[in-house]
Every structure is written in structure tokens, then in C-alpha cells.
Amino acid sequence: MKILKNPGCAVMALCASLAFAADIDRSGGPYVPTPQAVVDAMLELAGVGPRDYVIDLGSGDGRIVLTGATRHKASGMGVDIDPELVDLANGSARKLGVSERVRFERQDVLAADVSRATVITLYLLPGMMVNLQAKLLAELRPGTRIVSHDFIFEKWKPDRTITVQTPEKYDLSGSWTSDVHLWMVPAAVQGAWRVQRDGDQGEASRLEIRQGFQHFEGRLARSGGTLALQDGRLTGSQLSFTLPAANGGREQFTGTVASDRIQGEVRNGETVVARWSAARIP
């Protein structure tokens, strides 16, 4: 677990948690409730609303999904390996009158079907975060928001991080802080693309992309030479990059990725100068 900032008894309170270190990959760690202040910050950072389906992996007593349902009118599901916590959370859903919109299941988080989620919430130790990264990238739709309390993925850097003042943490009162991290699942654009731009004459250009999660590099090869992409960025299915313009300035390409197609605009400053599209080359 993360080293706490308060000395003395705080360190002792962590000993039991640290004893589970060898079991991180299996369980994600011992049950530690997320403070309500952090729950509220997680849901707010993710922008949860009535159209969202929130899945909490390692849901414990269900407070994240239940808060999403009662305060933000969202639907959702919690997954936990502990049957007593699952029963407790389902009982709370019935008492709060939201059992038609939320449910809790006993299951290994690595086996959970997350494809319906628009928001994933996590409070799991680093070993489980590493194990989950490939699953989430493969199974979630571009644009799905992932919010984690304190812990991050191994190489996939958050899109945004905020720090929350937490009056109680690890069942201890005091002056604590928690980090809340947000990721937006990026579309997969790695590889080669055939590019057409309005007004182009002759053969299509070839766009080659090397993707690193929400950032990417690459080059555009066309008659007359090759240009290096700059500022390559993905926000869900929204893509953007810049290239040198013929007049010595810079052109910004923006587009929407839909599987093996990209469609968008080219801007020079605030002016739209062309439309462009791309098709993935097998």
C-alpha cells in the first residue's frame, strides 16, 4: 500500500495491509473502504451522469456505484470476490431503492465483463492495476473513463490527476490526502493509413503512426517528401496532430476514429482549409 504521511499509529495500521503484498496479483489487496470525500471526487472527475453505466472493480460495500446511482442517477454494477460484501451491497441497493439500476456480483475482477461500462472505478493495489491494464484497453470502448483512487497503471500515464483532502483514511482520523487519477480510453490507431485530402491530386498519402496510449508519433509520406507529425494526441476517439504548412505555418489535423476509418478537418489557425479521411492499410 501507499506509505502514509502520518507517523506512528498510521504505520502500524498499514502492517496488516502490507502482509497481503504477496497476494496482490490475485486479490488486489485487503478490503479498505474508499472515503466518501474520495468517492464524490472520483464521480465528479469522471463527469458521471444519468446516461452512464459505472462498473466498480473491487466494489467492497458498493458505495461508489450506490453514490453514482443516488446522487448522479447513473446505472451500474460492482464486482467483488467477497460474498459478504456483495450481499451487503445488494442489500443497500434495495434499501436505497436503486436495485433496478445497480447490482453487485461475486466474481474475479479479471473475469468480469466490462464492455458495457462508460465509467470504470478502481481502488486496487499496483499488482492488480498492472494485470488489468491490457484487459481494459482491449475490452473498453474508446472514450470510456477510468478513475482510480491513489494507484496508477505501470506505463499508461493519467490524463488528469487531482488531490483530495481526506479527513479519514484507512479507518484513521487525521489530515490525509488522496490522489484521484483519470484516464480516457484511446482509440487504437497504431499502424499505416491511406490518407485522402480534399483537393489532392494523384496518389493518396501514407500516414504511419506509432502509438503510446493517448499520445502518438509518426510521419506523413506524400509526393514531394515526408513530414513528421507533431503533438499527436488521442482523447477517446478524437485524434489531433499538426504538420508544417506550405506557407511556412502549421496545419492542425483533427478527426474522429471509427474502427478502420478516420474523418476530420484541417485547420490553419481558426480557418478550416480542407476535409480529410483515412483508411487503415491491412
Side-chain angles (χ1 to χ4, degrees):
M1 296 291 287
K2 193 174 183 180
I3 298 300
L4 299 182
K5 299 179 181 178
N6 283 15
C9 64
V11 175
M12 294 177 62
L14 286 178
C15 290
S17 297
L18 290 170
F20 285 83
D23 203 33
I24 286 173
D25 287 346
R26 182 186 67 81
S27 70
Y31 169 56
V32 180
T34 302
Q36 189 62 44
V38 178
V39 172
D40 295 339
M42 292 173 74
L43 296 172
E44 183 176 348
L45 184 60
V48 171
R51 296 183 178 181
D52 282 312
Y53 192 85
V54 179
I55 295 181
D56 186 21
L57 299 178
S59 53
D61 62 8
R63 64 182 63 187
I64 294 178
V65 174
L66 293 170
T67 302
T70 56
R71 297 188 184 177
H72 301 270
K73 308 305 180 186
S75 301
M77 177 180 76
V79 175
D80 202 284
I81 199 67
D82 187 325
E84 293 185 1
L85 289 173
V86 170
D87 289 344
L88 174 64
N90 278 318
S92 296
R94 290 190 293 271
K95 290 178 183 178
L96 292 168
V98 295
S99 58
E100 292 184 357
R101 286 189 284 120
V102 303
R103 72 183 194 278
F104 298 89
E105 297 183 357
R106 181 176 183 269
Q107 192 176 25
D108 184 337
V109 298
L110 292 171
D113 180 1
V114 297
S115 60
R116 186 180 174 185
T118 60
V119 175
I120 293 283
T121 57
L122 306 168
Y123 187 21
L124 299 170
L125 288 172
M128 184 61 79
M129 294 290 287
V130 170
N131 289 343
L132 276 171
Q133 178 175 301
K135 172 184 175 68
L136 297 180
L137 283 167
E139 297 180 16
L140 295 175
R141 291 164 292 180
T144 302
R145 292 96 76 198
I146 301 172
V147 188
S148 173
H149 175 197
D150 276 343
F151 301 107
I152 61 175
F153 297 111
E154 185 176 22
K155 296 180 180 179
W156 184 11
K157 296 184 180 300
D159 291 296
R160 187 180 173 195
T161 297
I162 63 172
T163 299
V164 180
Q165 295 296 320
T166 310
E168 184 172 322
K169 192 170 184 178
Y170 304 108
D171 292 328
L172 295 169
S173 298
S175 179
W176 311 102
T177 62
S178 292
D179 291 331
V180 178
H181 309 283
L182 172 70
W183 294 261
M184 188 88 72
V185 175
V189 295
Q190 172 85 14
W193 300 78
R194 183 177 294 104
V195 175
Q196 292 282 358
R197 174 173 168 161
D198 292 350
D200 281 353
Q201 302 295 324
E203 294 184 3
S205 303
R206 180 183 174 93
L207 176 64
E208 296 181 354
I209 293 177
R210 299 183 301 277
Q211 183 174 0
F213 304 107
Q214 68 268 56
H215 301 283
F216 62 90
E217 300 176 338
R219 61 182 184 176
L220 182 73
R222 58 190 180 193
S223 58
T226 300
L227 301 173
L229 277 58
Q230 294 186 0
D231 306 318
R233 174 82 185 189
L234 283 156
T235 304
S237 60
Q238 303 302 304
L239 166 149
S240 65
F241 61 89
T242 61
L243 288 173
N247 62 5
R250 301 204 66 78
E251 292 182 331
Q252 182 178 41
F253 286 67
T254 59
T256 301
V257 183
S259 186
D260 294 333
R261 299 284 300 177
I262 305 173
Q263 292 189 325
E265 298 177 337
V266 184
R267 291 179 177 267
N268 194 324
E270 297 298 321
T271 304
V272 177
V273 297
R275 301 281 304 174
W276 72 286
S277 63
R280 192 186 297 273
I281 299 173

